[in-house]
Amino acid sequence: GDRLKNLMERLGVGEDDVIENRFVSRALEQAQAKIEGFNFDARKYVLEYDDVMNRHRTAIYELRNRILASSSSKDLIFEYFDWLVGRLVEMHTKSETGEWNTEEIAESIKTMTVSGQNLHGNFLEFSKTQDVGGLKKFITDFISEEYSKKEKELGEESMGRLEGLVLLRVIDELWVDHLEAMEYLRESVKLRAYGQRDPLAEYKVEGQRMFEELLNNVKVQVANLIFKVSFTEKPKSVEMYEGRDNLVSDKKEEKTEPVVSDKSQVGRNDPCPCGSKKKYKRCHGK
């Protein structure tokens, strides 16, 4: 402190004077510009990362709005059937030996449509002539027939509601998983910068692959679920359930009340035995 004071006195500079040095000023300006540049790049990167997710979000919301705006999503579901049949046939008709795995195709269609029919014999006929186009058409026609049976059982209006419920449930569940996966990807690509790879470019490429996988998973799950769900009617409520029996029951379930021999055994704040999820004092303990 004293040395600096003595030096300033020798130079004739007072304590209240401003020291201006063109080299110091230039260094400060360069540092400021560099910091502002870093901040601009950081903001630009954040916007570009967000832009990727916004494109995904827009596509999913457009799909949901299409479903919500329609009383029937049959055309969309049949687009999924066609895609799945094409992928299934291609997967099991291409091999080094040229042999078709008709058993696997037949089992997949049987499982998807919950049908008791074994189509393996029919598929063998197409295998003999290597008629891929004919095989695809046969499978699509079969799915259409099975779908018409289910639609007739439920009625067009109920089938339209079921289609919408299945689509939205699958889309929403997979979308939540996708959001978590993309957040994990955003963190993981930062490490790739150490390997001289652009993290943003990696995020865009990998993110697009993951989004296409999301859309394909929607198709697979919807196609494999639509035949397995139906409505079961209950008083004042409608539920979806999974099972092989897709018939709609005409009988209304009778509501039974619990029989409690000694009411003192049930606390007033305990759940009511009737299964209403209300406290006993607010239900059958009144």
Side-chain angles (χ1 to χ4, degrees):
D2 291 338
R3 289 182 180 178
L4 179 59
K5 187 176 181 180
N6 292 333
L7 177 61
M8 292 173 68
E9 287 176 353
R10 268 188 247 165
L11 295 171
V13 178
E15 290 184 9
D16 296 330
D17 292 336
V18 178
I19 301 177
E20 291 188 2
N21 185 300
R22 61 191 181 91
F23 296 109
V24 174
S25 297
R26 185 180 297 170
L28 290 172
E29 288 172 3
Q30 290 174 346
Q32 181 68 25
K34 202 168 189 179
I35 292 170
E36 289 176 356
F38 284 148
N39 290 339
F40 176 79
D41 288 343
R43 286 193 297 271
K44 182 182 176 185
Y45 257 55
V46 168
L47 288 173
E48 291 199 43
Y49 276 109
D50 290 345
D51 185 54
V52 173
M53 276 310 304
N54 284 336
R55 288 199 299 272
H56 294 183
R57 187 175 290 106
T58 298
I60 288 295
Y61 282 16
E62 284 177 353
L63 179 58
R64 291 186 89 261
N65 289 337
R66 173 184 171 184
I67 295 162
L68 290 168
S70 177
S71 60
S72 172
S73 297
K74 184 176 179 178
D75 290 345
L76 179 60
I77 289 176
F78 267 80
E79 286 178 23
Y80 294 174
F81 283 144
D82 289 343
W83 175 86
L84 188 58
V85 168
R87 194 176 78 157
L88 187 66
V89 169
E90 184 177 1
M91 185 185 304
H92 295 294
T93 58
K94 286 188 176 180
S95 66
E96 294 180 359
T97 60
E99 294 182 6
W100 289 10
N101 190 347
T102 49
E103 289 184 6
E104 190 65 34
I105 302 173
E107 187 60 34
S108 297
I109 299 302
K110 183 179 178 180
T111 302
M112 183 177 74
T113 59
V114 201
S115 171
Q117 288 185 248
N118 189 343
L119 303 174
H120 185 228
N122 303 89
F123 293 170
L124 284 175
E125 294 301 315
F126 293 103
S127 176
K128 291 176 183 177
T129 57
Q130 301 283 293
D131 186 3
V132 174
L135 176 61
K136 287 181 182 178
K137 186 178 185 305
F138 180 87
I139 295 173
T140 303
D141 289 345
F142 174 77
I143 292 172
S144 182
E145 289 173 10
E146 293 297 303
Y147 200 87
S148 295
K149 291 178 186 176
K150 184 177 179 69
E151 192 173 40
K152 188 176 180 180
E153 289 169 0
L154 294 181
E156 288 188 15
E157 185 178 348
S158 292
M159 192 64 188
R161 287 173 55 212
L162 189 68
E163 290 163 352
L165 286 170
V166 170
L167 280 161
L168 292 175
R169 191 182 84 172
V170 170
I171 290 168
D172 289 350
E173 287 181 357
L174 291 177
W175 174 243
V176 170
D177 293 342
H178 181 71
L179 289 174
E180 294 177 357
M182 289 296 289
E183 185 62 31
Y184 176 78
L185 175 64
R186 187 166 179 167
E187 292 301 315
S188 67
V189 293
K190 293 177 182 178
L191 300 175
R192 304 184 191 185
Y194 293 108
Q196 305 301 315
R197 291 152 72 182
D198 182 0
L200 180 58
E202 295 279 316
Y203 180 78
K204 288 180 177 179
V205 172
E206 188 69 12
Q208 181 60 31
R209 185 197 64 77
M210 289 168 59
F211 186 65
E212 289 173 2
E213 185 178 352
L214 159 68
L215 296 179
N216 289 343
N217 285 338
V218 168
K219 297 173 185 176
V220 172
Q221 289 196 25
V222 168
N224 279 286
L225 190 61
I226 193 66
F227 281 102
K228 300 181 180 71
V229 296
S230 191
F231 289 121
T232 176
E233 299 293 338
K234 288 188 176 181
K236 300 180 182 178
S237 67
V238 179
E239 290 186 359
M240 287 178 59
Y241 72 93
E242 290 191 32
R244 296 184 64 84
D245 186 4
N246 293 321
L247 296 177
V248 176
S249 174
D250 294 324
K251 297 180 181 179
K252 301 290 182 182
E253 291 189 9
E254 295 180 3
K255 185 178 180 182
T256 58
E257 294 187 358
V259 177
V260 183
S261 58
D262 184 0
K263 292 187 177 182
S264 64
Q265 293 179 355
V266 183
R268 287 178 56 74
N269 290 314
D270 291 341
C272 187
C274 75
S276 66
K277 297 184 181 179
K278 295 181 181 178
K279 291 183 179 179
Y280 180 59
K281 67 183 180 182
R282 299 190 183 279
C283 196
H284 288 87
K286 289 182 180 180

Tab-separated table of all heavy atoms in Angstrom, residues 101-122:
chain	number	residue	atom	x	y	z
A	101	ASN	N	-40.522	-67.266	-42.729
A	101	ASN	CA	-40.907	-67.729	-41.395
A	101	ASN	C	-42.412	-67.486	-41.229
A	101	ASN	O	-42.851	-66.589	-40.507
A	101	ASN	CB	-40.121	-66.980	-40.314
A	101	ASN	CG	-40.296	-67.595	-38.942
A	101	ASN	OD1	-41.178	-68.422	-38.732
A	101	ASN	ND2	-39.477	-67.163	-38.000
A	102	THR	N	-43.204	-68.294	-41.932
A	102	THR	CA	-44.663	-68.111	-41.937
A	102	THR	C	-45.287	-68.400	-40.568
A	102	THR	O	-46.321	-67.817	-40.229
A	102	THR	CB	-45.310	-69.022	-42.992
A	102	THR	OG1	-44.799	-70.350	-42.839
A	102	THR	CG2	-45.006	-68.526	-44.394
A	103	GLU	N	-44.656	-69.253	-39.786
A	103	GLU	CA	-45.190	-69.567	-38.459
A	103	GLU	C	-45.176	-68.327	-37.566
A	103	GLU	O	-46.130	-68.069	-36.832
A	103	GLU	CB	-44.370	-70.686	-37.807
A	103	GLU	CG	-44.583	-72.046	-38.440
A	103	GLU	CD	-43.831	-73.147	-37.703
A	103	GLU	OE1	-43.253	-72.837	-36.636
A	103	GLU	OE2	-43.826	-74.286	-38.180
A	104	GLU	N	-44.098	-67.559	-37.647
A	104	GLU	CA	-43.969	-66.351	-36.815
A	104	GLU	C	-44.991	-65.294	-37.228
A	104	GLU	O	-45.584	-64.622	-36.381
A	104	GLU	CB	-42.545	-65.796	-36.931
A	104	GLU	CG	-42.223	-64.706	-35.933
A	104	GLU	CD	-42.225	-65.201	-34.501
A	104	GLU	OE1	-41.834	-66.361	-34.268
A	104	GLU	OE2	-42.643	-64.425	-33.616
A	105	ILE	N	-45.203	-65.153	-38.545
A	105	ILE	CA	-46.195	-64.196	-39.031
A	105	ILE	C	-47.590	-64.591	-38.546
A	105	ILE	O	-48.352	-63.763	-38.045
A	105	ILE	CB	-46.185	-64.111	-40.572
A	105	ILE	CG1	-44.810	-63.713	-41.089
A	105	ILE	CG2	-47.236	-63.113	-41.062
A	105	ILE	CD1	-44.670	-63.769	-42.611
A	106	ALA	N	-47.924	-65.870	-38.691
A	106	ALA	CA	-49.245	-66.374	-38.293
A	106	ALA	C	-49.478	-66.178	-36.802
A	106	ALA	O	-50.562	-65.754	-36.383
A	106	ALA	CB	-49.371	-67.846	-38.661
A	107	GLU	N	-48.464	-66.453	-35.992
A	107	GLU	CA	-48.597	-66.311	-34.538
A	107	GLU	C	-48.780	-64.846	-34.143
A	107	GLU	O	-49.568	-64.527	-33.245
A	107	GLU	CB	-47.365	-66.902	-33.849
A	107	GLU	CG	-47.461	-66.968	-32.337
A	107	GLU	CD	-48.624	-67.819	-31.853
A	107	GLU	OE1	-48.951	-68.824	-32.528
A	107	GLU	OE2	-49.223	-67.474	-30.812
A	108	SER	N	-48.071	-63.952	-34.817
A	108	SER	CA	-48.175	-62.515	-34.521
A	108	SER	C	-49.575	-61.992	-34.836
A	108	SER	O	-50.145	-61.224	-34.054
A	108	SER	CB	-47.129	-61.737	-35.320
A	108	SER	OG	-45.824	-62.104	-34.946
A	109	ILE	N	-50.130	-62.383	-35.981
A	109	ILE	CA	-51.472	-61.936	-36.382
A	109	ILE	C	-52.529	-62.527	-35.457
A	109	ILE	O	-53.496	-61.855	-35.066
A	109	ILE	CB	-51.767	-62.317	-37.847
A	109	ILE	CG1	-50.757	-61.644	-38.787
A	109	ILE	CG2	-53.184	-61.929	-38.227
A	109	ILE	CD1	-50.729	-60.127	-38.705
A	110	LYS	N	-52.345	-63.790	-35.093
A	110	LYS	CA	-53.284	-64.457	-34.187
A	110	LYS	C	-53.300	-63.759	-32.828
A	110	LYS	O	-54.360	-63.530	-32.236
A	110	LYS	CB	-52.880	-65.929	-34.024
A	110	LYS	CG	-53.835	-66.738	-33.162
A	110	LYS	CD	-53.361	-68.191	-33.081
A	110	LYS	CE	-54.286	-69.004	-32.183
A	110	LYS	NZ	-53.847	-70.422	-32.077
A	111	THR	N	-52.127	-63.419	-32.316
A	111	THR	CA	-52.019	-62.735	-31.026
A	111	THR	C	-52.618	-61.337	-31.096
A	111	THR	O	-53.311	-60.901	-30.173
A	111	THR	CB	-50.547	-62.642	-30.593
A	111	THR	OG1	-49.998	-63.967	-30.522
A	111	THR	CG2	-50.401	-61.963	-29.248
A	112	MET	N	-52.361	-60.627	-32.181
A	112	MET	CA	-52.836	-59.251	-32.320
A	112	MET	C	-54.355	-59.177	-32.392
A	112	MET	O	-54.982	-58.345	-31.747
A	112	MET	CB	-52.230	-58.605	-33.576
A	112	MET	CG	-52.612	-57.150	-33.756
A	112	MET	SD	-51.811	-56.391	-35.178
A	112	MET	CE	-52.744	-57.122	-36.524
A	113	THR	N	-54.966	-60.063	-33.178
A	113	THR	CA	-56.413	-60.010	-33.409
A	113	THR	C	-57.208	-60.845	-32.403
A	113	THR	O	-58.442	-60.824	-32.429
A	113	THR	CB	-56.752	-60.504	-34.824
A	113	THR	OG1	-56.274	-61.840	-34.979
A	113	THR	CG2	-56.122	-59.613	-35.883
A	114	VAL	N	-56.517	-61.542	-31.513
A	114	VAL	CA	-57.158	-62.424	-30.527
A	114	VAL	C	-58.103	-63.390	-31.248
A	114	VAL	O	-59.240	-63.601	-30.832
A	114	VAL	CB	-57.925	-61.615	-29.456
A	114	VAL	CG1	-58.137	-62.463	-28.210
A	114	VAL	CG2	-57.199	-60.345	-29.081
A	115	SER	N	-57.625	-63.940	-32.361
A	115	SER	CA	-58.441	-64.827	-33.179
A	115	SER	C	-58.067	-66.278	-32.933
A	115	SER	O	-56.903	-66.597	-32.667
A	115	SER	CB	-58.248	-64.501	-34.668
A	115	SER	OG	-58.855	-65.468	-35.477
A	116	GLY	N	-59.067	-67.153	-33.025
A	116	GLY	CA	-58.807	-68.577	-32.857
A	116	GLY	C	-58.345	-69.237	-34.141
A	116	GLY	O	-57.967	-70.405	-34.150
A	117	GLN	N	-58.361	-68.473	-35.236
A	117	GLN	CA	-57.977	-69.047	-36.529
A	117	GLN	C	-56.467	-69.144	-36.679
A	117	GLN	O	-55.732	-68.229	-36.305
A	117	GLN	CB	-58.533	-68.182	-37.667
A	117	GLN	CG	-60.040	-68.292	-37.837
A	117	GLN	CD	-60.522	-67.510	-39.043
A	117	GLN	OE1	-61.201	-66.507	-38.928
A	117	GLN	NE2	-60.145	-67.983	-40.224
A	118	ASN	N	-56.026	-70.251	-37.251
A	118	ASN	CA	-54.613	-70.432	-37.549
A	118	ASN	C	-54.413	-70.207	-39.053
A	118	ASN	O	-54.912	-70.977	-39.877
A	118	ASN	CB	-54.151	-71.840	-37.158
A	118	ASN	CG	-52.640	-71.982	-37.247
A	118	ASN	OD1	-51.966	-71.165	-37.872
A	118	ASN	ND2	-52.116	-73.026	-36.630
A	119	LEU	N	-53.709	-69.160	-39.397
A	119	LEU	CA	-53.548	-68.771	-40.795
A	119	LEU	C	-52.281	-69.343	-41.434
A	119	LEU	O	-51.962	-69.010	-42.572
A	119	LEU	CB	-53.526	-67.240	-40.906
A	119	LEU	CG	-54.754	-66.504	-40.340
A	119	LEU	CD1	-54.530	-65.009	-40.388
A	119	LEU	CD2	-56.004	-66.879	-41.126
A	120	HIS	N	-51.588	-70.184	-40.693
A	120	HIS	CA	-50.302	-70.671	-41.196
A	120	HIS	C	-50.432	-71.391	-42.532
A	120	HIS	O	-49.613	-71.206	-43.440
A	120	HIS	CB	-49.656	-71.595	-40.154
A	120	HIS	CG	-48.292	-72.052	-40.539
A	120	HIS	ND1	-47.887	-73.363	-40.467
A	120	HIS	CD2	-47.233	-71.361	-41.037
A	120	HIS	CE1	-46.642	-73.462	-40.887
A	120	HIS	NE2	-46.215	-72.263	-41.234
A	121	GLY	N	-51.481	-72.206	-42.667
A	121	GLY	CA	-51.693	-72.938	-43.920
A	121	GLY	C	-51.899	-71.998	-45.102
A	121	GLY	O	-51.366	-72.235	-46.196
A	122	ASN	N	-52.649	-70.933	-44.890
A	122	ASN	CA	-52.861	-69.939	-45.948
A	122	ASN	C	-51.564	-69.256	-46.346
A	122	ASN	O	-51.304	-69.001	-47.525
A	122	ASN	CB	-53.863	-68.876	-45.478
A	122	ASN	CG	-55.190	-69.473	-45.046
A	122	ASN	OD1	-55.357	-69.824	-43.890
A	122	ASN	ND2	-56.131	-69.606	-45.983
